[in-house]
Amino acid sequence: MLELLSPAGDLECLMSAVDYGCDAVYLGSTMFGMRAGAAKFDPETLRNGVEYAHAKGVRVYLTCNTVPSNDEIELLPEFIKTAYDCGIDAAIVSDIGCIALIKRTVPDLEIHVSTQAGVVNYVTANELYKMGAKRVVLAREVDIENIKRIRDNIPEDMDIEVFVHGAMCVSFSGRCLLSAFMTGRNANKGECAQPCRWKYHLVEEKRPGDYYELSEGDGGSYILNAKDMCMIEHLKELKDAGVTSFKIEGRAKSAYYTATVTNAYRAALDAVKNGEPIPKWAVDEVYKVSHRQYCTGFYFNKDDANQYYENSGYIRECDFVGVIDSCENGRVNITQRNYFTVHDDLEVLSPGKTPVKLDIPYLINSKGEQTEIANRATEKMYFDYPVSFPPHSIIRKPLSKK
């Protein structure tokens, strides 16, 4: 079975991922996760998230992929027992000691070896399998031909997971000391300040205060800034290479990002499974979220995984302006998220559907007044409409070109 694996930075993102078609989600609790800013799942929230996912047949994987110190690792047994009691389906782990400790503490819990472990060959994968690993998340530096070699030389019941979409790291498998050196925030403990996205100048030792731009153009140069990965048009090649799980990066991203990208990859992966062409609308969808320039990572031509020197900003083509809460008797109830008017070129994205145009005749605000403008954050509003949409459908508009 091919698995679509989506990120969940918080409970809203988890619900979006589940509603828009993922087979599994990965998330971080209060410790041991590589995204400290997305450590939103305390035991109560984790239990609620697991219940929501399991009710729709979606598995939940917990990230435990930091490199813990002696003091930290002593907290792992109680931490993982609590998470296991909440119903998680697997732990994503990078440290060998953590793998052994988790297997002793909760023997029935699946172990997925994180990309942070840097697995690039089948010998390593086989040794991890002997230690109890059910899955390896390969290093992003592994190309398609080497994925095939790994698949051909590991047990049939061992899964291969790879990243197919999202941010890339300049360091090998995310092993970076730059953030800790420059800011005191350790990337290997989930606190990366992303100094690889910053703009740098050159200074000569005997000329302090004289800064020389590292220039590719008028805007200087972002010498460490990586492009984003996008493999939506190449899922068949990955499937044929033996990939089991297709992973979307983005635990620090919004629920809108999670929903949109999950919906697109769901359609693309279903097309691959059915031997059909990937729908053009699904490919177009990945350009409707904030992203850097796309590339195919290291899977094909390593030259395509190069850095983007002009800037480190995001490309945005659409604004997420509202979410549909319910539709009752011809009335659409929404929660406003960003400014829009009834005159904007709006569209609705519903789970498992292509986006459709939305022509709103008027809005009724929370005071019962008719208006053409939605400009109060998270205001509850409604409008009458002849078409119903499922709950959690997204309303968005294109950004105006300046």
Side-chain angles (χ1 to χ4, degrees):
M1 176 180 173
L2 302 182
E3 175 187 86
L4 179 61
L5 177 56
S6 294
D10 57 27
L11 189 57
E12 183 186 13
C13 290
L14 180 147
M15 294 171 70
S16 293
V18 171
D19 291 344
Y20 280 82
C22 72
D23 299 302
V25 296
Y26 65 103
L27 50 81
S29 186
T30 53
M31 299 175 64
F32 299 106
M34 281 298 294
R35 290 289 183 272
K40 303 293 176 61
F41 288 88
D42 58 27
E44 181 181 359
T45 310
L46 179 59
R47 189 179 300 278
N48 292 337
V50 169
E51 288 177 357
Y52 188 88
H54 284 181
K56 299 195 176 185
V58 173
R59 288 161 57 86
V60 178
Y61 307 148
L62 179 68
T63 58
C64 301
N65 55 347
T66 57
V67 181
S69 65
N70 287 318
D71 290 340
E72 290 168 335
I73 203 166
E74 292 172 354
L75 303 174
L76 180 59
E78 189 62 33
F79 171 83
I80 201 64
K81 279 194 290 187
T82 300
Y84 184 72
D85 289 342
C86 290
I88 62 168
D89 298 287
I92 305 172
V93 191
S94 62
D95 182 77
I96 292 176
C98 290
I99 294 173
L101 199 52
I102 290 173
K103 291 304 291 184
R104 287 200 294 270
T105 306
V106 282
D108 293 335
L109 183 64
E110 274 190 19
I111 297 292
H112 298 178
V113 179
S114 170
T115 190
Q116 299 293 126
V119 178
V120 298
N121 64 71
Y122 59 81
V123 176
T124 303
N126 281 317
E127 291 304 314
L128 291 165
Y129 181 81
K130 293 175 187 176
M131 292 183 65
K134 175 68 171 64
R135 175 181 298 189
V136 282
V137 188
L138 296 182
R140 300 185 204 200
E141 294 77 15
V142 182
D143 61 31
I144 288 230
E145 291 305 312
N146 276 297
I147 293 174
K148 292 177 183 176
R149 289 189 65 188
I150 292 170
R151 176 73 274 168
D152 290 342
N153 289 279
I154 63 174
E156 289 185 7
D157 63 341
M158 190 177 202
D159 298 340
I160 291 179
E161 179 182 307
V162 301
F163 281 91
V164 294
H165 194 91
M168 299 274 287
C169 181
V170 68
S171 297
F172 177 81
S173 294
R175 298 175 180 178
C176 185
L177 295 175
L178 191 60
S179 178
F181 177 76
M182 297 182 70
T183 71
R185 291 169 53 181
N186 191 333
N188 298 305
K189 295 189 183 297
E191 300 172 346
C192 186
Q194 296 198 352
C196 55
R197 308 295 181 188
W198 300 349
K199 182 179 180 182
Y200 289 91
H201 288 70
L202 180 69
V203 62
E204 198 271 330
E205 179 183 8
K206 296 181 179 179
R207 294 176 174 80
D210 288 345
Y211 299 100
Y212 301 92
E213 277 200 355
L214 305 170
S215 298
E216 291 281 326
D218 294 339
S221 180
Y222 293 74
I223 57 174
L224 302 174
N225 181 54
K227 295 178 180 178
D228 283 358
M229 178 193 293
C230 179
M231 288 289 288
I232 193 166
E233 296 182 89
H234 302 285
L235 300 183
K236 184 179 185 303
E237 290 98 317
L238 292 173
K239 177 186 79 70
D240 291 346
V243 170
T244 309
S245 180
F246 300 76
K247 187 173 194 172
I248 298 167
E249 184 274 339
R251 281 193 292 132
K253 302 290 181 67
S254 68
Y256 168 67
Y257 170 94
T258 304
T260 304
V261 178
T262 298
N263 198 60
Y265 274 84
R266 176 76 277 155
L269 193 56
D270 286 348
V272 168
K273 289 195 291 187
N274 295 329
E276 301 168 354
I278 293 173
K280 182 180 182 302
W281 71 263
V283 177
D284 292 342
E285 282 293 291
V286 299
Y287 292 90
K288 295 181 180 180
V289 295
S290 293
H291 62 280
R292 302 179 184 91
Q293 275 202 358
Y294 283 135
C295 70
T296 54
F298 296 90
Y299 289 120
F300 300 108
N301 179 0
K302 287 182 172 56
D303 291 339
D304 189 41
N306 60 11
Q307 308 307 101
Y308 184 61
Y309 302 116
E310 293 182 16
N311 63 68
S312 61
Y314 285 97
I315 302 166
R316 280 181 61 212
E317 298 180 1
C318 288
D319 253 352
F320 167 40
V321 298
V323 61
I324 293 174
D325 300 317
S326 63
C327 294
E328 301 168 349
N329 302 319
R331 176 168 293 178
V332 180
N333 301 299
I334 72 169
T335 300
Q336 186 264 11
R337 292 297 182 90
N338 284 294
Y339 175 89
F340 72 96
T341 78
V342 299
H343 304 294
D344 288 327
D345 186 15
L346 302 173
E347 66 179 14
V348 173
L349 178 66
S350 297
K353 306 290 185 182
T354 61
V356 295
K357 187 174 176 58
L358 179 67
D359 292 311
I360 298 178
Y362 55 81
L363 291 163
I364 304 297
N365 64 23
S366 56
K367 296 179 180 180
E369 302 165 337
Q370 183 170 316
T371 181
E372 295 182 345
I373 298 173
N375 60 356
R376 296 189 183 97
T378 69
E379 182 177 19
K380 298 291 186 180
M381 312 182 80
Y382 72 85
F383 55 89
D384 294 321
Y385 206 68
V387 178
S388 291
F389 303 99
H392 305 154
S393 293
I394 287 167
I395 304 173
R396 66 188 176 200
K397 67 175 185 179
L399 288 174
S400 59
K401 301 288 193 296
K402 295 184 179 180

